[in-house]
Amino acid sequence: MILSVAILACNRKKSQENKDNKYVLTKNPEETEAYFFVATSKTTKSIISKSQLAHHKSSEKAVKDISRQIEKSQNELLHQINKIAVQKLIIINEINTAVTNKDVYELQNKKDAEFDRAYLNSTAKSLSETIRLFESVANETNDTVILKLVTHYLPKQYEFLRKTEKIKKQIN
């Protein structure tokens, strides 16, 4: 009887943590926070790379300007994430850089106005993902340091998303 209960408990735990080989948030605050730092770092690095590419490749002044602003803000965010992660003994490594850089590689092959639209679409998607991560962790954690980070950077993410959408409408 005890053996069957233990087996059922193990199987249930595995099914909660692994769905389609993707990490699913658990109720463990440390795991939730670690996932938040890793995922936010990944999307932030992607946004930075795309913005750096936009500095050199964009034909629109508005796109170049917003890309510089976004890059500066995302670099600050990444610095804060790394600082807090180190304090919490969370290691953020570069495991899936090929997957992370897929958008950047696709952008690099775009030409002129096609590049500007692709950059704005890709950046808006990444900003939306960052916003979802911020809102999710804000609902799941009571850690004041993380909540302070979220309350500082979440409005900036929304502002950049709005500006990006506005520039997209102007270009189209």
Side-chain angles (χ1 to χ4, degrees):
M1 179 72 167
I2 294 174
L3 182 60
S4 64
V5 170
I7 291 171
L8 287 173
C10 288
N11 288 339
R12 191 175 310 138
K13 184 175 180 181
K14 283 182 184 177
S15 68
Q16 287 175 343
E17 292 178 0
N18 265 333
K19 284 189 178 174
D20 301 328
N21 292 327
K22 292 182 180 178
Y23 183 84
V24 177
L25 292 180
T26 64
K27 293 298 178 188
N28 183 335
E30 290 84 18
E31 289 178 14
T32 300
E33 292 169 7
Y35 174 78
F36 166 74
F37 286 116
V38 171
T40 305
S41 175
K42 181 178 136 187
T43 57
T44 302
K45 287 177 185 177
S46 176
I47 293 170
I48 291 168
S49 296
K50 289 183 258 187
S51 294
Q52 289 171 340
L53 184 59
H55 295 262
H56 303 291
K57 208 165 175 177
S58 178
S59 59
E60 292 283 331
K61 182 182 179 337
V63 174
K64 286 184 177 195
D65 290 343
I66 193 68
S67 70
R68 283 188 181 98
Q69 293 171 19
I70 290 172
E71 180 190 3
K72 182 179 182 226
S73 177
Q74 296 302 307
N75 273 321
E76 291 170 5
L77 172 59
L78 185 60
H79 175 72
Q80 290 299 318
I81 288 169
N82 286 330
K83 182 178 166 185
I84 296 168
V86 166
Q87 290 172 346
K88 293 182 170 290
L89 303 176
I90 298 170
I91 298 171
I92 301 172
N93 59 10
E94 305 281 333
I95 293 175
N96 289 324
T97 54
V99 173
T100 304
N101 292 330
K102 181 182 173 198
D103 288 346
V104 177
Y105 296 140
E106 289 175 2
L107 272 177
Q108 204 163 14
N109 295 328
K110 303 288 182 184
K111 304 284 185 220
D112 300 327
E114 183 184 357
F115 171 82
D116 292 333
R117 281 190 293 279
Y119 165 73
L120 292 169
N121 287 332
S122 181
T123 300
K125 182 180 172 184
S126 295
L127 287 168
S128 295
E129 177 63 27
T130 304
I131 289 167
R132 280 191 300 277
L133 287 165
F134 278 16
E135 290 174 344
S136 175
V137 80
N139 291 330
E140 306 249 343
T141 190
N142 292 325
D143 187 298
T144 56
V145 174
I146 293 174
L147 292 173
K148 187 176 179 181
L149 176 90
V150 169
T151 56
H152 180 75
Y153 284 98
L154 185 59
K156 290 181 181 186
Q157 303 301 307
Y158 273 116
E159 179 185 344
F160 287 129
L161 183 58
R162 277 191 299 276
K163 286 181 179 181
T164 301
E165 294 295 335
K166 182 179 177 184
I167 293 170
K168 272 181 17 182
K169 288 178 184 174
Q170 291 173 351
I171 290 176
N172 290 331

